Amino acid sequence: MRGMFPRRVFNLMLIVALVMFLMPPAGRAYEEKEDDEDKDKPQRLIVMAAEYPGVEVSPDEDEVSLDIRFTNRGRSDETVKVWIAEQPKDWKARIKTYRYTVKGVFVKSDDYKTLTFEAEPPKDVKPGDYKFRVKGETPDGKFKFDQAIIIKVKSEEEEEKEGSKDLELTVSYPVLRGPSDAKFEFLIEVDSKLDKAAVFDLFAEGPKDWDVLFKPRWEDKYISSLRLKEHGSQSVAVEVKPAPDAKAGEYPINVRVVSGKTNATAKLTTILTGTYDLKVSTPTGLLSLDARQGKTANVSINVENTGSAPNSNIKFLSFKPENWKVEIKPEQIPLLKPGEVKTVDVAITPYEEALVGDYSVNVSMEGEKVTKPIEFRVTVNASTAWGWIGIGIIAGVVLGLTGLFRWLGRR
């Protein structure tokens, strides 16, 4: 037993030694495998390509940038010269890294490098397709590259149509009608289709000197933007106040909601019917008159349309003491144009048994969307017949007393 154990150990060690001798080293195996892969690669092969050779941008885009990738698939390191060979008139373009404008790029074997192509449109750029051409070449001229880049500037109509896919504006009542001195309030539902939360800026374009403001529904504060959650919606009130001198007519108002490249537009309309106002006065400016019981006293009233809209079917109502009579001619004004003045005659007859004193008579003009009252103070004086009767009674008393004194004096 003792002799067998050393012999087994010796045999095992011999087998391990033979295996290690016959197997190639790990590092060498890796090198041989790597050499095999390198043999499959060409000595030189480099490719230039724009990741996005065609893009669409909005007309208010300040700058367009996209990546150009250089991929070296050969076994040799390469240097590539690169430049912009063609660009539209009035556009500015360059090829750069994160910091510098570059004219070439070095790419190691089995590696890649990315440069940035930047283009800046002119301020008055028009919708259409704009073509750029980027070229590259290795120093020995073996590899030459030619990459076309098309930038399409969309029109406002295309921008609105595309933006509406991710954003929707719903207006309950897009047309409102009223007088020029009124405030109009439109209600817009802003519905986001985006898969993320976003801040939307609010813009409005209205007539000159008009106030167009945004505010949350049921609140008095004014806002210029709102934040919506993903697929969220919110109601926004658009408050419109016409200019003080705005004339009757139809006025368009455009509302735009924007978040980055997502936008939508709503068209609103305000129809002004003008302002409605009346001025009531007398030719002399006096609002008082004298009258006698049962006798008619006359006064004239001037009715002027001081609004900017025609006023039609102006009616008259009177409020008088009991048993008095008030007659107004004409009883109605069919139409009163802006700035026009018409005269109305009012006949006031006090009650026959009215006491002497001051009374109040009111006449109210009721026109289209406006009512104007005027108040008269009527002083009722005693009748002249009673005056003569009073004088006669006093004269009779005097004569009676005189005769009585004479008769007593004789006695």
Side-chain angles (χ1 to χ4, degrees):
M1 294 293 292
R2 292 180 181 178
M4 292 178 63
F5 180 74
R7 186 179 298 174
R8 289 180 178 178
V9 173
F10 174 78
N11 292 337
L12 181 60
M13 292 178 65
L14 181 61
I15 293 172
V16 171
L18 288 172
V19 172
M20 292 181 65
F21 176 78
L22 294 174
M23 288 183 62
R28 187 206 250 171
Y30 177 77
E31 289 176 3
E32 291 179 356
K33 183 178 180 181
E34 192 176 53
D35 291 340
D36 292 339
E37 291 179 356
D38 289 341
K39 288 179 182 179
D40 295 336
K41 292 181 180 180
Q43 181 63 32
R44 299 180 66 188
L45 179 59
I46 188 165
V47 179
M48 181 189 83
E51 289 192 342
Y52 305 102
V55 294
E56 294 184 353
V57 298
S58 62
D60 56 354
E61 194 79 32
D62 295 331
E63 187 178 77
V64 181
S65 64
L66 50 91
D67 290 339
I68 299 178
R69 184 165 176 167
F70 298 83
T71 305
N72 189 350
R73 297 174 181 170
R75 287 180 286 168
S76 302
D77 299 341
E78 298 285 355
T79 299
V80 180
K81 295 184 294 183
V82 61
W83 68 94
I84 298 174
E86 180 185 342
Q87 68 184 66
K89 184 181 179 181
D90 297 330
W91 283 67
K92 296 179 182 179
R94 64 173 179 162
I95 298 174
K96 61 184 287 291
T97 62
Y98 66 95
R99 185 175 179 183
Y100 301 107
T101 298
V102 297
K103 301 295 183 180
V105 60
F106 173 77
V107 188
K108 290 183 179 181
S109 172
D110 199 26
D111 198 1
Y112 71 90
K113 286 288 182 65
T114 300
L115 298 180
T116 301
F117 168 82
E118 285 188 354
E120 181 182 339
K123 292 183 178 180
D124 57 347
V125 64
K126 296 181 179 180
D129 293 340
Y130 295 88
K131 184 178 181 180
F132 298 80
R133 189 170 295 279
V134 178
K135 289 188 176 183
E137 184 180 7
T138 55
D140 61 357
K142 183 175 178 59
F143 295 93
K144 295 182 179 181
F145 314 104
D146 191 329
Q147 175 68 66
I149 297 174
I150 305 297
I151 298 177
K152 179 182 179 180
V153 178
K154 295 179 291 185
S155 64
E156 292 184 1
E157 291 77 10
E158 292 175 318
E159 184 76 4
E160 291 176 4
K161 185 176 180 181
E162 181 177 335
S164 63
K165 296 178 181 177
D166 295 325
L167 183 66
E168 184 178 353
L169 303 183
T170 304
V171 186
S172 301
Y173 303 99
V175 180
L176 296 180
R177 179 188 180 97
S180 304
D181 56 353
K183 281 186 180 181
F184 301 85
E185 187 170 294
F186 298 87
L187 190 62
I188 298 179
E189 185 74 18
V190 183
D191 189 6
S192 173
K193 310 293 184 181
L194 297 174
D195 295 328
K196 61 180 180 179
V199 175
F200 294 87
D201 296 319
L202 308 173
F203 302 95
E205 181 181 2
K208 185 180 179 181
D209 297 329
W210 285 43
D211 292 330
V212 184
L213 302 170
F214 297 93
K215 62 181 184 179
R217 191 179 185 184
W218 314 122
E219 296 185 37
D220 292 331
K221 61 184 179 182
Y222 297 109
I223 59 175
S224 59
S225 64
L226 71 156
R227 182 179 181 85
L228 295 180
K229 298 180 180 179
E230 56 180 290
H231 297 282
S233 64
Q234 184 174 330
S235 296
V236 176
V238 183
E239 183 181 276
V240 178
K241 185 178 180 181
D245 57 348
K247 297 181 180 180
E250 186 173 310
Y251 296 87
I253 299 169
N254 294 323
V255 173
R256 194 172 183 221
V257 182
V258 181
S259 179
K261 295 183 179 180
T262 302
N263 65 86
T265 302
K267 297 183 182 296
L268 311 176
T269 302
T270 300
I271 300 177
L272 298 184
T273 58
T275 56
Y276 296 88
D277 200 8
L278 296 174
K279 181 181 178 181
V280 184
S281 61
T282 61
T284 61
L286 298 177
L287 298 178
S288 61
L289 66 156
D290 294 330
R292 299 185 185 278
Q293 297 97 326
K295 301 296 182 180
T296 300
N298 296 304
V299 63
S300 296
I301 298 176
N302 290 337
V303 182
E304 181 182 1
N305 185 352
T306 54
S308 60
N311 211 310
S312 57
N313 299 323
I314 302 175
K315 299 178 182 180
F316 303 95
L317 298 175
S318 63
F319 303 90
K320 57 189 184 301
E322 189 177 0
N323 297 324
W324 284 45
K325 294 180 180 181
V326 175
E327 294 181 355
I328 302 173
K329 294 182 180 181
E331 298 179 351
Q332 180 178 329
I333 299 177
L335 179 66
L336 194 63
K337 298 179 181 179
E340 188 178 6
V341 180
K342 288 191 176 181
T343 301
V344 176
D345 294 324
V346 181
I348 302 174
T349 305
Y351 180 44
E352 294 178 353
E353 298 181 5
L355 299 176
V356 174
D358 293 335
Y359 295 83
S360 175
V361 175
N362 288 276
V363 177
S364 178
M365 268 58 75
E366 292 188 355
E368 190 174 354
K369 299 181 181 180
V370 61
T371 300
K372 287 288 182 177
I374 186 170
E375 181 180 0
F376 294 100
R377 187 184 68 181
V378 181
T379 301
V380 176
N381 297 313
S383 173
T384 54
W386 284 106
W388 286 112
I389 293 173
I391 292 173
I393 293 173
I394 294 172
V397 170
V398 171
L399 291 174
L401 291 174
T402 302
L404 179 62
F405 289 148
R406 286 180 179 178
W407 180 75
L408 291 174
R410 291 176 183 175
R411 295 187 60 183

